[in-house]
Amino acid sequence: MEFVLNAQTDHFPSANEAVVKLKDETEQIVKFDAVFVGIGRELNIETLRLANAGIEIENNKIVVDKYLGTTNKNVFLCGDVAGSLQFSHAAESHARILLNNFFSPVRKKLNNDHISWVTFTDAEVATFGLNEKQLKDRNINYVQLEQDFEDDDRAVVDNYQYAKLILFISTKGFLKKQKILGGTMVAPNAGELIQELILANNNGLSLNAIFNKVYPYPVAARINQKAILQYKQQGFTAGIKKMLRLLIKSSIDGMVGNV
């Protein structure tokens, strides 16, 4: 598999060749057997004559507020037509917001900061929360954790040591708990493995919620804890490490003495 980055397809000189222009304006010929073209989706709303109902449209999208309401106070949107993330589970989230706002005095706003999605390839690509660009745009301080699966026992047994996890966590602070801000995993069943990370992200749980969890060995989700464990180990000073070694040695000596 070959990736051509920072490039744009210019034209197809033949049925099995494409000319792509690179960032430096040079051209490259890419040969292939078939082409998959993703053209995206556009809302089919022109025939609805929404203006007759007082519903405004801008750039072929319906104008919607943070409560999923249109410029007609009696019309609300749910699903792809709302112009947000076009996922079936995003539509489910919209429906929950609308039902809450119809029947509860405490209104909820649309917030995609904790949304997740999975590309069901082999391996799966699962993403949730805020990405690095969003964190930088919002001036949110963060730490990036990278965890490979090379030495993970389950990955070794099931032969997916190529997998990788990237997490963005909040920075340390006095009496400030560190939280999981977002992340991406590439692995078999990644969409299932990140569910506890999504739960922690959605509910603002501390890293310790994962760190202190006891996992049945050797479940695949232990990789989430391993990433956090290795991060915490980086904070150990030389003095702390020396003290831990002495404590471990003392414990071992005590057990040997008892035997």
Side-chain angles (χ1 to χ4, degrees):
M1 183 179 294
E2 178 183 357
F3 291 91
V4 181
L5 304 177
N6 295 315
Q8 184 174 0
T9 304
D10 188 73
H11 64 278
F12 296 90
S14 70
N16 300 104
E17 292 180 324
V19 175
V20 297
K21 285 189 175 181
L22 306 180
K23 190 175 182 180
D24 60 3
E25 298 301 323
T26 60
E27 293 184 348
Q28 179 178 336
I29 296 179
V30 177
K31 297 184 178 182
F32 55 84
D33 295 319
V35 175
F36 175 81
V37 180
I39 60 175
R41 290 172 288 178
E42 291 185 359
L43 300 179
N44 184 17
I45 57 177
E46 294 181 0
T47 60
L48 298 179
R49 300 180 183 179
L50 297 177
N52 293 340
I55 300 175
E56 294 182 11
I57 298 175
E58 290 183 0
N59 300 321
N60 201 41
K61 292 184 178 180
I62 301 173
V63 177
V64 59
D65 63 21
K66 54 191 175 184
Y67 299 103
L68 297 172
T70 68
T71 49
N72 181 328
K73 65 178 183 179
N74 296 313
V75 179
F76 295 82
L77 303 182
C78 179
D80 292 355
V81 73
S84 183
L85 298 174
Q86 294 182 332
F87 300 121
S88 56
H89 55 285
E92 180 182 348
S93 173
H94 298 166
R96 291 179 179 179
I97 292 173
L98 293 178
L99 287 173
N100 175 85
N101 294 346
F102 289 158
F103 298 106
S104 172
V106 181
R107 302 179 71 195
K108 290 185 177 181
K109 302 176 183 178
L110 176 64
N111 182 357
N112 289 326
D113 286 358
H114 305 292
I115 199 73
S116 59
W117 59 91
V118 182
T119 304
F120 293 98
T121 49
D122 185 14
E124 293 180 2
V125 182
T127 298
F128 71 97
L130 300 176
N131 60 39
E132 190 167 21
K133 183 178 185 304
Q134 290 172 316
L135 291 169
K136 289 180 178 179
D137 289 344
R138 300 186 192 186
N139 295 316
I140 298 175
N141 295 324
Y142 66 93
V143 178
Q144 179 174 324
L145 310 184
E146 294 190 15
Q147 178 65 54
D148 61 47
F149 290 54
E150 183 176 355
D151 298 321
D152 179 73
D153 291 350
R154 183 61 177 269
V156 171
V157 171
D158 288 346
N159 194 29
Y160 59 93
Q161 293 167 275
Y162 58 83
K164 191 176 187 68
L165 168 65
I166 294 177
L167 286 179
F168 301 110
I169 63 174
S170 59
T171 53
K172 295 180 179 179
F174 182 68
L175 297 179
K176 174 186 174 184
K177 64 180 182 180
Q178 288 185 275
K179 301 178 183 179
I180 298 173
L181 304 174
T184 295
M185 179 186 289
V186 181
N189 299 313
E192 314 302 328
L193 297 182
I194 67 164
Q195 288 304 310
E196 63 179 1
L197 300 176
I198 295 172
L199 180 65
N201 171 254
N202 194 59
N203 291 278
L205 301 181
S206 167
L207 288 185
N208 291 332
I210 305 294
F211 178 75
N212 294 326
K213 183 179 175 182
V214 179
Y215 292 77
Y217 178 85
V219 296
R222 290 176 73 249
I223 195 69
N224 300 326
Q225 186 182 62
K226 186 175 182 180
I228 295 171
L229 175 62
Q230 292 195 352
Y231 166 70
K232 285 183 173 290
Q233 287 176 340
Q234 293 173 8
F236 290 169
T237 63
I240 293 176
K241 291 179 180 179
K242 182 177 180 180
M243 182 178 66
L244 288 174
R245 283 194 293 267
L246 289 173
L247 288 172
I248 293 172
K249 184 178 184 300
S250 176
S251 298
I252 293 174
D253 291 343
M255 288 187 292
V256 172
N258 291 331
V259 172

